[in-house]
Amino acid sequence: MPVTTAYWAEYAWLQRPGGTAPAVEHQVLVTVGGDGRISAVTPDSGPCPDGAVRLGGLLLPGMANAHSHAFHRALRSTVQVGSGTFWTWRDLMYQFAAALDPDRYLALATAVYAEMALAGITCVGEFHYVHHNPDGTPYADPNAMGEALIEAAARAGIRITLLDTCYLSAGFGAAPEPRQRRFSDGDADAWGARAALLKDRPHARIGAAVHSVRAVPADQLDTVARWAEERRSPLHVHLSEQTAENEACRDAHGVTPTRLLADHGVLGPRTSAVHATHLGREDIGLLGGSGTAVCMCPTTERDLADGIGPARRLASAGSRITLGSDSHAVIDPFEEARALELDERLSTHRRGHWTAAALLRAASEDGHASLGWERAGRIEPGALADFTAVAMDSVRTAGPEPRFGAETAVFAATAADVRDVVVAGRPVVRDGVHQLVPDVPAALRDSVAALRD
């Protein structure tokens, strides 16, 4: 698709010079250069000029989904029968993981990423650990599964940071179970050698991930951390999602998972801890003091009955907060953003922990930064020309004055209100219709059904 050189928005949520609070501006002309970056932003530009694409509603930066497992989308609704815990949910997840191959994963991930685009997401962080054949043997291309995900993002028109994940054990001192063999490279050196074959491209960045402290032995955490440090790449890790992980880590090492990661050089400004649900005071201080970001996934944490993490305390300690849809129980960045605030209200019995602007920043600029995309998630000259337009006249959003656009988007809008999405200056969604995947529901239906065959 060619780059469209000018977009005109009825309203746009813009950062102001000098660090003042963002605000909703009227009649905003956004000009895009041939490099897919914004070259100029002109508020109060007058009526839409000839040759510009008109975007109704409220223009926002593109959303960043900082934590995704694309194949989990196949579990939607299927796992809502009966009761149980994270661990019983995981058994069904393994069944779908076993059915994946590169072709099936390409089809499924393309559909899932297209669903993300329809929800206003322009960049995804894919926490990828299904590397090999089900018996653990490599594919002819050892990165066939990762390449399928990168290609899927291209076909869906969004950016991706492939967080290639080191996953070596079933638990502290335990070899992988048969259903986990395809996740493991044997040791961290072999993981690093394979991951090093993956390369950045215009729409894709390569990062690293430690699946969890239970899945990577302590003496190999340093190897993964060094790999990411040498490449200046993002490093993500599941952290303290379950109390059982904390207890097992203390039994094995005498410390919390957070302390173990700190002692092995995993924490730092390019690192994101995902979930961070069950933390003590020292853990919060270690994460905040090291500048480690924390990715909250509220809809998944609700769905799996994991609990409410200490997001506000982490932010106050110095951690940047980002958001992810994780298991894709739903894909809706506005729901994730408001859930951060609303879950905190339930936990503390108080309102107003984050402003709407802070929640939008978590869902856009901070999420992009955690995935290695700088100068992104903002509508300003020099930034990536990635943005999304949200209807302000739907049954959910109609009524408030335009100046409350950020509050309306965060606390009332849903993914269904996204009308237009632009990535690198190219229209990916127009009037609610994906321009690259003709029938996203059918693509989802067929690709999920293929995993059941």
Side-chain angles (χ1 to χ4, degrees):
M1 294 182 296
V3 173
T4 299
T5 57
Y7 291 89
W8 182 91
E10 184 178 9
Y11 294 98
W13 183 74
L14 301 180
Q15 289 75 13
R16 289 173 166 176
T20 55
V24 175
E25 305 285 357
H26 186 225
Q27 295 183 331
V28 178
L29 183 65
V30 180
T31 306
V32 180
D35 59 355
R37 290 184 176 271
I38 298 170
S39 56
V41 178
T42 309
D44 297 317
S45 65
C48 182
D50 292 341
V53 174
R54 188 185 189 281
L55 302 175
L58 176 68
L59 193 66
L60 299 170
M63 303 289 110
N65 187 352
H67 189 69
S68 163
H69 303 290
F71 77 92
H72 288 192
R73 173 61 177 80
L75 281 72
R76 186 180 293 180
S77 298
T78 304
V79 291
Q80 302 302 343
V81 178
S83 61
T85 66
F86 167 84
W87 306 103
T88 53
W89 169 90
R90 192 175 71 156
D91 288 336
L92 185 59
M93 180 270 287
Y94 281 142
Q95 295 179 31
F96 282 97
L100 293 170
D101 60 30
D103 290 337
R104 286 176 171 178
Y105 212 1
L106 173 61
L108 176 62
T110 299
V112 174
Y113 296 157
E115 181 183 356
M116 290 185 193
L118 288 171
I121 292 164
T122 57
C123 182
V124 61
E126 184 62 37
F127 200 102
H128 165 57
Y129 56 84
V130 186
H131 300 305
H132 307 299
N133 281 293
D135 63 0
T137 58
Y139 289 100
D141 173 356
N143 285 306
M145 296 291 265
E147 292 291 348
L149 291 164
I150 292 170
E151 175 60 21
R155 293 187 183 190
I158 69 172
R159 302 182 194 274
I160 185 172
T161 296
L162 186 74
L163 298 160
D164 197 280
T165 303
C166 187
Y167 191 134
L168 305 174
S169 60
F172 297 95
E177 299 173 9
R179 56 191 178 176
Q180 296 169 331
R181 287 174 184 160
R182 68 184 316 185
F183 308 160
S184 177
D185 290 289
D187 61 36
D189 287 327
W191 163 81
R194 178 187 53 73
L197 300 175
L198 292 160
K199 304 300 179 186
D200 289 352
R201 52 213 79 176
H203 81 289
R205 298 282 183 272
I206 307 302
V210 170
H211 180 273
S212 57
V213 294
R214 70 178 185 273
V216 178
D219 62 0
Q220 300 190 58
L221 291 170
D222 309 72
T223 300
V224 183
R226 283 196 304 272
W227 190 98
E229 175 66 26
E230 289 168 0
R231 290 162 177 78
R232 313 295 290 176
S233 67
L235 174 60
H236 288 219
V237 54
H238 289 136
L239 176 64
S240 292
E241 183 177 3
Q242 301 293 325
T243 55
E245 177 183 290
N246 291 355
E247 293 162 3
C249 187
R250 287 191 184 96
D251 289 344
H253 298 289
V255 296
T256 66
T258 304
R259 169 53 73 182
L260 189 67
L261 294 174
D263 290 347
H264 288 273
V266 175
L267 303 185
R270 283 193 307 281
T271 299
S272 291
V274 182
H275 302 302
T277 307
H278 303 285
L279 303 178
R281 180 179 299 177
E282 181 193 28
D283 300 327
I284 293 171
L286 287 169
L287 291 166
S290 63
T292 299
V294 174
C295 180
M296 294 290 181
C297 306
T299 61
T300 291
E301 286 145 10
R302 292 173 180 173
D303 184 53
L304 298 182
D306 285 343
I308 299 171
R312 182 63 261 173
R313 284 183 287 157
L314 284 160
S316 297
S319 288
R320 182 175 62 246
I321 304 298
T322 66
L323 296 165
S325 63
D326 191 6
S327 69
H328 313 313
V330 298
I331 295 176
D332 188 335
F334 307 104
E335 176 62 24
E336 304 293 348
R338 67 173 153 264
L340 192 66
E341 166 67 20
L342 299 183
D343 287 357
E344 194 77 23
R345 293 180 187 182
L346 288 175
S347 179
T348 65
H349 303 168
R350 289 189 300 107
R351 304 173 78 242
H353 301 274
W354 281 275
T355 64
L359 294 170
L360 282 176
R361 189 164 56 249
S364 55
E365 181 180 0
D366 289 346
H368 280 93
S370 77
L371 298 174
W373 294 91
E374 302 299 333
R375 301 298 304 276
R378 296 171 67 93
I379 301 175
E380 64 180 15
L384 294 173
D386 300 354
F387 32 84
T388 183
V390 178
M392 291 287 108
D393 58 358
S394 77
V395 294
R396 290 165 294 277
T397 60
E401 296 176 37
R403 64 192 177 96
F404 295 115
E407 288 77 10
T408 303
V410 170
F411 290 104
T414 73
D417 295 309
V418 172
R419 305 310 303 156
D420 295 280
V421 175
V422 172
V423 180
R426 297 175 174 86
V428 174
V429 175
R430 286 291 288 147
D431 296 324
V433 178
H434 202 287
Q435 301 299 289
L436 300 174
V437 181
D439 189 340
V440 178
L444 287 163
R445 181 195 64 223
D446 295 346
S447 60
V448 171
L451 300 185
R452 301 194 189 104
D453 292 343

